[in-house]
Amino acid sequence: MKKIFVILAVVLVVGAFFAFAQSGVDPISKMEEKLRSYDAIETAYRFIVTNKEGKVVVDEPGTFYQEGECFLVKSFSLDIYCDGESKMIYNHMFDEITIIGHDPSNGNMSENPFVVLTDTKANYTYVFENDKVVLTPKNGSADHTSVEIVLSLNDFSIKSITYFAPSGSYRAEVQSLKGVDKKVGEFYTINLDKVSDDVVINDLR
């Protein structure tokens, strides 16, 4: 009986994506349209990194906020603040803040980790495969080879995003994604005047 349910689920998923293709509905366009309807985005996720040997080397929860060119990634070991002009990377394990410039046109996952959500068509070509969208970066020198986005077939919400690179895979399993009010003040930056003297600051801009 369980096997029958699995087969039925696969048939329904494949059929839904085939129906999208036949009707001219583009899931990526629908996803981008949904995200653009929010003033700001708050996402809770589980971040899993697997090395090229297939071993899980990182598995931790995180939270991601985005508002235009600004974003904030918070996790157990690392926080990344971006005000649209500079990025501040706070490494809690080493009590160190590194400040670097920010290029919003750079599609590398290390530069703009969630640009795949907001500027997909400009940076990727893509195809539909069963229950996921497989994206290939247009930039041949990108730091990843492909991205897989799994979408809900009901409302085009994001279930997971996985980056594939020569070093391994980087997957964010989305637990919740919602629109929130615009953030103000210092939300997307660190006030260095309030940082402890024990924290090392490296300004590489």
Side-chain angles (χ1 to χ4, degrees):
M1 182 64 69
K2 182 178 179 181
K3 184 176 181 180
I4 293 175
F5 281 126
V6 171
I7 293 173
L8 179 59
V10 171
V11 170
L12 289 174
V13 167
V14 174
F17 267 84
F18 180 75
F20 290 151
Q22 291 296 98
S23 64
V25 174
D26 182 349
I28 288 294
S29 295
K30 289 292 185 181
M31 177 195 75
E32 291 182 328
E33 180 182 326
K34 185 179 182 71
L35 293 175
R36 283 195 297 268
S37 69
Y38 301 132
D39 289 331
I41 297 169
E42 177 183 328
T43 306
Y45 63 92
R46 178 181 168 211
F47 185 56
I48 303 168
V49 179
T50 305
N51 64 20
K52 60 184 179 181
E53 285 78 30
K55 179 181 178 181
V56 174
V57 293
V58 175
D59 187 345
E60 63 180 30
T63 308
F64 170 70
Y65 300 87
Q66 182 174 20
E67 184 179 333
E69 299 295 345
C70 302
F71 65 81
L72 169 60
V73 179
K74 296 186 71 67
S75 66
F76 174 77
S77 57
L78 201 70
D79 294 341
I80 306 174
Y81 295 78
C82 178
D83 61 4
E85 296 181 358
S86 300
K87 281 196 288 291
M88 294 183 169
I89 304 168
Y90 194 159
N91 189 321
H92 296 286
M93 298 179 68
F94 295 100
D95 278 337
E96 183 178 65
I97 296 174
T98 301
I99 308 173
I100 59 176
H102 175 65
D103 179 4
S105 67
N106 190 321
N108 283 331
M109 62 177 177
S110 56
E111 184 74 21
N112 295 309
F114 288 91
V115 70
V116 67
L117 300 183
T118 56
D119 208 4
T120 311
K121 292 183 178 180
N123 292 285
Y124 296 91
T125 58
Y126 57 92
V127 295
F128 307 131
E129 291 186 3
N130 297 332
D131 64 336
K132 59 180 176 286
V133 184
V134 179
L135 305 101
T136 302
K138 293 180 180 180
N139 180 3
S141 60
D143 62 358
H144 55 287
T145 55
S146 65
V147 185
E148 289 183 358
I149 301 179
V150 178
L151 297 173
S152 167
L153 303 183
N154 296 321
D155 60 359
F156 304 100
S157 59
I158 301 158
K159 297 174 70 175
S160 69
I161 305 166
T162 306
Y163 281 90
F164 293 92
S167 57
S169 67
Y170 305 79
R171 184 168 80 253
E173 294 182 351
V174 177
Q175 297 167 333
S176 67
L177 188 155
K178 62 183 179 179
V180 294
D181 293 335
K182 288 186 176 182
K183 305 297 180 180
V184 294
E186 300 175 346
F187 189 79
Y188 294 106
T189 189
I190 301 173
N191 187 337
L192 298 179
D193 293 332
K194 297 181 180 180
V195 173
S196 168
D197 292 337
D198 296 331
V199 176
V200 176
I201 299 174
N202 300 312
D203 193 338
L204 305 180
R205 289 173 294 183

